[in-house]
Amino acid sequence: MPRAGRPRSFDRDAALGQAMRVFWERGYEATSMGDLTTAMGIGSPSLYAAFGSKEQLFREAVVLYDATLGAAVDHALTREPTARAAVAAILRANTRTADADGPAGCMLVVAATNCTDANAPVRDLLATRRDEGLRDLRLRLDRGVRDGDLPPDTDTEAVAAYYTAVNQGLSIRARDGASRAELTRTADLAMATWDVVTAARPSGVPPADDPARHAGG
């Protein structure tokens, strides 16, 4: 009979958690294999045997982030009673990263925004995840229209893009050292504009991306 493989001598889940933290804090390209093996407490052969490659390890770290620290967004979208409450909860969750026991800002925003072409798959991975977040927020706003939370002619695509831009900006400010109080003031100001940005378009006014809106002059 073939001999059983050598049992793994480390906790894979714990090691993945440490890798996620390093990627989140330093970014994909700035993280070396030495950084990873030191944080994970394993050697390079064990890392490659367990995860395959640095890129695959990063992909698993993103999945872990979504399932744990990033789960607040899904909770807000699915459990808050109104569209407004959902958006407010998403912004509040991001402000809390400023004083949490971990890197500041959303990992999906800060971990791979400036990758070179050599690491385009990683850059594109996070861009896709951010696009999915934008889509999910728009769908929640669409539900708000159906539920009567929002006017029937609300431009949910534009509103989702606006609050996504605010939320991603909070991540950058958090990474730059802004305090939770500063981020909360920004989030509160953004929510104070809710009634304006969700107002129905006046009759006859085309969407912002309609060429007819910019014709003439």
Side-chain angles (χ1 to χ4, degrees), residues 115-137:
C115 283
T116 61
D117 288 344
N119 291 308
V122 168
R123 180 189 63 209
D124 294 345
L125 167 69
L126 293 195
T128 297
R129 299 302 272 267
R130 292 191 295 270
D131 284 345
E132 290 171 351
L134 174 62
R135 178 206 62 199
D136 290 344
L137 180 54

Side-chain angles (χ1 to χ4, degrees), residues 30-212:
T31 298
S32 69
M33 293 301 294
D35 294 332
L36 291 168
T37 55
T38 297
M40 298 166 75
I42 61 176
S44 293
S46 294
L47 187 154
Y48 285 112
F51 299 100
S53 67
K54 177 184 174 182
E55 180 181 331
Q56 186 56 40
L57 174 59
F58 181 78
R59 289 176 179 273
E60 289 199 39
V62 170
V63 172
L64 176 62
Y65 177 84
D66 274 341
T68 54
L69 296 164
V73 173
D74 182 66
H75 184 281
L77 291 172
T78 58
R79 300 190 184 183
E80 292 294 341
T82 65
R84 181 172 187 160
V87 172
I90 290 170
L91 298 184
R92 283 198 306 271
N94 209 356
T95 67
R96 289 194 291 270
T97 68
D99 58 8
D101 182 22
C106 172
M107 181 181 177
L108 303 185
V109 175
V110 301
T113 55
N114 60 343
C115 283
T116 61
D117 288 344
N119 291 308
V122 168
R123 180 189 63 209
D124 294 345
L125 167 69
L126 293 195
T128 297
R129 299 302 272 267
R130 292 191 295 270
D131 284 345
E132 290 171 351
L134 174 62
R135 178 206 62 199
D136 290 344
L137 180 54
R138 180 182 59 77
L139 292 174
R140 180 62 184 88
L141 295 172
D142 288 341
R143 176 182 152 197
V145 172
R146 294 193 301 272
D147 291 347
D149 293 342
L150 299 173
D153 197 33
T154 297
D155 188 343
T156 57
E157 183 174 356
V159 175
Y162 170 69
Y163 281 107
T164 295
V166 171
N167 199 39
Q168 292 179 0
L170 290 174
S171 287
I172 300 301
R173 291 281 292 126
R175 178 53 58 95
D176 287 345
S179 68
R180 180 174 178 179
E182 290 174 307
L183 298 178
T184 298
R185 286 196 294 270
T186 300
D188 289 346
L189 184 61
M191 291 310 303
T193 69
W194 179 264
D195 289 339
V196 175
V197 300
T198 61
R201 286 194 301 270
S203 178
V205 176
D209 59 352
D210 190 326

